[in-house]
Amino acid sequence: MSGDLLNGQKYIVAVDVGTTNVRCHIYDKQANIKGEAQGRMELMFPHHGWVELSPDMLWNTFVQVVRNGIKNAGIKAKQVACIGISTQRGTFTNWDRETGQPFHNLITWKDTRAERLCREWNNSIQMKCLRGGAQLLYFFTRRKRFLAASILYFQTGMVVMRLLWMLQHIPVIRERAVEGQAMFGTLDTWLMWKLTGGRTHATDSSCASISGMYDPFQMCWAGWCINMLNIPPSLLPVVKDTSGWFGKTTPEIFGASIPITAIIGDQQASTFGECCFDVGDVKCTIGTGAFININTGDKPHASLKGLYPVIGWKVGDSVTYLAEGSSYDAGTVLLWGQKIGLYDDVAQTSDLANSVPNSNGVCFVPAFSGLQAPVNDNLAVSGFIGISNGTTRAHMTRALLESLAFRIKQMYEVILEEANFQLNYLRVDGGVANNDFLVQLIADLTEQPVDRPKQRDMSCIGAAFLAGLAVGIWSSIEELEELRSEDQLFQPCDNWRDQYKDVVMNWERAVRRCLHWYKDEI
């Protein structure tokens, strides 16, 4: 595809579509940012646990941000060699093939409306038989595919249960699917459909692998899941390589047809952007949520404690797998603290936390969207515990930041426990990684040096790297590694973890008090 690079056109448009922000960076061959733009989107909360986005707002924001990025770079759309797109994963909609109109809003990855459905299916005879049969097969074969199935439980973060909920509550979707006229797609698929004028209904394996209905071992939609849940197969998009040809944008959108050559989930994109190309490489992205990923090579990782095996990226015949732990609330916690008046700006939190020697016994549990691995309780509640008449804003702010570090510590220790290979390093990125207090505490608690890069939007650069590889701007991952630059290396302080031992134990007590708070209300 290198023939698409005409007249020295070396610019790459990379877009990262987050939960509330759309960011666009224009890169040159040296991975320098030549122009950038961003736009904000408002989440909608129609009912408790429902978290939605307007498809029209998303589309209009995406188009405007890319146009502004190209304009700010001082270039024309015809000078762009390709587009790479990184998206928040697990957000989806269904739409009509003939009219192009969505049947409902985008249902985001933070939405928990399917919690009861998850419990019903996890306790169903079908799932118990599936887990029991897989456990037996694993006993005889020792194949990790069966180990993964033997401990499989549906979670609200997976698309599949929320999709089933929509099929149950909006019957017209199933009716149109039977006619072959309904289409399903995660956010990347919806954007692809719109960008190509309805010519491409596709996703990539990295996005498909977190849906809960894609088999990362067999690299295909999981027939057993689709059949068991009675999901119409006609809804599903084609699954393509992460780096490759997805089609061209229609010329009226940006002023020229631009090849789309990379689609990838945001966490996998940041892992690629961090150049975590070897087995044992670890990165932690701290944005809206906190996600820790480890490269497990060419084999999926079957976890006993809630780490999720995902496809990192597929390039040609080569597939790279990651194990992933997640905490859905990180940046949301800090924005909430600003909203209630603990501080005027999130940027102040590091200095405010350092202004006191400790949190004065105050603990915060960051569970606006439940608690994920290794706690695995979607019914947990957020809360401050330990507030006294001596508590100040600084103590509460420090407790907020400490809670984020404690969750990352929990996930990292699961990786240490389950990995059967050497962990190489820990790299951090994302907007919240600008917080020096938090990153230093992560280094202290994990007892690992933490490498923070100069560029923090690693999802953007990861998408750019994969798009550029597809059209020959770069020819190898070795070339990409030379482009990564370090901003700061945070060294762990001696005995700091021992000093925090009682604080962590107290926080774990607070977590236990907040478990299983919600019952049938969700």
Side-chain angles (χ1 to χ4, degrees):
M1 293 181 59
S2 58
D4 290 323
L5 292 174
L6 303 175
N7 302 320
Q9 297 167 11
K10 298 289 188 181
Y11 296 107
I12 303 168
V13 170
V15 191
D16 177 39
V17 184
T19 307
T20 55
N21 287 288
V22 178
R23 294 183 181 87
C24 174
H25 287 174
I26 314 298
Y27 295 98
D28 62 15
K29 183 177 172 61
Q30 288 72 43
N32 297 313
I33 298 174
K34 307 304 291 185
E36 57 187 309
Q38 68 175 11
R40 219 177 145 69
M41 302 175 293
E42 293 296 326
L43 293 172
M44 297 181 288
F45 306 90
H47 301 284
H48 176 72
W50 295 23
V51 189
E52 301 179 356
L53 271 171
S54 162
D56 289 337
M57 177 178 61
L58 169 77
W59 170 245
N60 292 332
T61 303
F62 182 94
V63 171
Q64 192 59 52
V65 165
V66 174
R67 287 174 177 169
N68 289 343
I70 292 173
K71 178 182 177 182
N72 293 340
I75 62 173
K76 302 292 185 183
K78 63 183 180 180
Q79 294 176 267
V80 177
C82 56
I83 294 179
I85 302 174
S86 154
T87 64
Q88 53 161 297
R89 308 158 311 164
T91 296
F92 73 95
T93 190
N94 295 276
W95 66 94
D96 191 287
R97 183 188 298 272
E98 291 183 328
T99 66
Q101 290 301 307
F103 294 109
H104 55 82
N105 283 330
L106 288 157
I107 310 302
T108 76
W109 59 278
K110 294 175 72 67
D111 190 288
T112 58
R113 74 184 68 192
E115 173 61 37
R116 186 178 300 174
L117 204 55
C118 288
R119 295 201 302 270
E120 290 173 357
W121 272 100
N122 287 335
N123 294 323
S124 68
I125 293 175
Q126 296 99 312
M127 286 298 291
K128 288 178 180 178
C129 290
L130 174 73
R131 288 193 291 265
Q135 192 172 30
L136 191 63
L137 287 169
Y138 176 68
F139 178 79
F140 286 109
T141 67
R142 314 311 291 180
R143 292 175 62 184
K144 286 191 174 181
R145 180 189 178 198
F146 298 125
L147 174 61
S150 71
I151 55 176
L152 176 64
Y153 285 85
F154 290 119
Q155 302 173 24
T156 58
M158 299 175 181
V159 167
V160 63
M161 279 293 131
R162 285 174 287 128
L163 173 58
L164 184 59
W165 193 99
M166 302 310 293
L167 288 169
Q168 291 178 353
H169 289 79
I170 308 179
V172 69
I173 302 175
R174 190 179 295 276
E175 293 169 10
R176 291 294 281 165
V178 170
E179 299 168 358
Q181 298 302 320
M183 310 180 81
F184 157 83
T186 43
L187 201 152
D188 58 298
T189 304
W190 166 248
L191 287 173
M192 192 70 49
W193 174 264
K194 297 281 284 183
L195 287 167
T196 61
R199 292 190 298 272
T200 300
H201 182 218
T203 186
D204 96 297
S205 53
S206 75
C207 293
S209 69
I210 55 83
S211 67
M213 53 184 171
Y214 189 83
D215 189 336
F217 294 85
Q218 300 294 307
M219 295 294 292
C220 63
W221 294 112
W224 65 267
C225 178
I226 293 166
N227 293 331
M228 182 177 73
L229 301 178
N230 193 26
I231 293 172
S234 61
L235 282 172
L236 303 176
V238 173
V239 181
K240 296 191 173 188
D241 288 359
T242 308
S243 176
W245 184 259
F246 286 88
K248 286 187 175 183
T249 65
T250 55
E252 61 270 18
I253 299 175
F254 302 123
S257 290
I258 304 173
I260 306 166
T261 57
I263 293 293
I264 186 169
D266 53 3
Q267 300 311 316
Q268 293 97 320
S270 63
T271 308
F272 197 90
E274 287 277 26
C275 298
C276 295
F277 300 141
D278 297 324
V279 174
D281 291 353
V282 186
K283 73 87 197 172
C284 181
T285 297
I286 319 172
T288 299
F291 295 83
I292 191 164
N293 294 85
I294 179 170
N295 186 323
T296 63
D298 60 1
K299 295 180 176 60
H301 172 73
S303 170
L304 297 173
K305 291 197 173 182
L307 293 182
Y308 197 67
V310 300
I311 295 168
W313 46 85
K314 184 176 185 294
V315 182
D317 295 328
S318 174
V319 181
T320 298
Y321 292 91
L322 309 175
E324 179 171 291
S326 58
S327 177
Y328 290 171
D329 292 300
T332 49
V333 169
L334 298 186
L335 289 174
W336 172 79
Q338 179 179 337
K339 182 179 177 181
I340 65 170
L342 285 181
Y343 34 82
D344 296 327
D345 192 320
V346 170
Q348 300 170 348
T349 57
S350 182
D351 289 340
L352 195 56
N354 276 317
S355 71
V356 289
N358 53 58
S359 64
N360 197 29
V362 178
C363 297
F364 180 75
V365 179
F368 294 138
S369 304
L371 292 169
Q372 293 70 49
V375 182
N376 298 312
D377 181 11
N378 286 327
L379 303 179
V381 69
S382 295
F384 279 108
I385 293 180
I387 291 177
S388 69
N389 61 4
T391 299
T392 66
R393 292 188 305 117
H395 293 132
M396 296 175 74
T397 300
R398 186 173 178 121
L400 290 181
L401 291 174
E402 287 178 343
S403 74
L404 306 186
F406 295 161
R407 285 290 291 122
I408 291 168
K409 168 186 174 291
Q410 285 184 319
M411 292 186 286
Y412 187 79
E413 288 180 344
V414 171
I415 289 176
L416 284 177
E417 183 179 337
E418 294 192 342
N420 56 1
F421 42 75
Q422 176 79 27
L423 301 186
N424 298 333
Y425 48 68
L426 177 58
R427 291 176 171 172
V428 297
D429 58 77
V432 182
N434 290 318
N435 191 294
D436 288 353
F437 174 87
L438 176 60
V439 179
Q440 182 61 57
L441 185 54
I442 292 169
D444 297 337
L445 294 173
T446 61
E447 299 179 305
Q448 292 293 324
V450 176
D451 177 347
R452 186 171 67 185
K454 284 186 177 178
Q455 293 191 27
R456 307 294 158 76
D457 284 339
M458 302 310 289
S459 293
C460 262
I461 200 166
F465 281 166
L466 286 157
L469 283 171
V471 296
I473 289 179
W474 299 293
S475 59
S476 67
I477 60 174
E478 289 76 20
E479 196 174 349
L480 302 179
E481 288 176 320
E482 295 177 2
L483 298 175
R484 186 188 182 278
S485 55
E486 176 188 301
D487 168 53
Q488 189 172 347
L489 186 66
F490 291 79
Q491 294 287 354
C493 298
D494 293 340
N495 300 319
W496 193 254
R497 188 174 183 180
D498 291 338
Q499 293 177 28
Y500 251 91
K501 183 178 179 180
D502 290 341
V503 179
V504 173
M505 289 177 62
N506 203 41
W507 177 80
E508 289 172 346
R509 286 179 57 222
V511 169
R512 290 193 290 273
R513 297 290 181 92
C514 293
L515 298 180
H516 312 299
W517 180 267
Y518 298 107
K519 298 189 184 299
D520 292 334
E521 291 92 337
I522 291 182

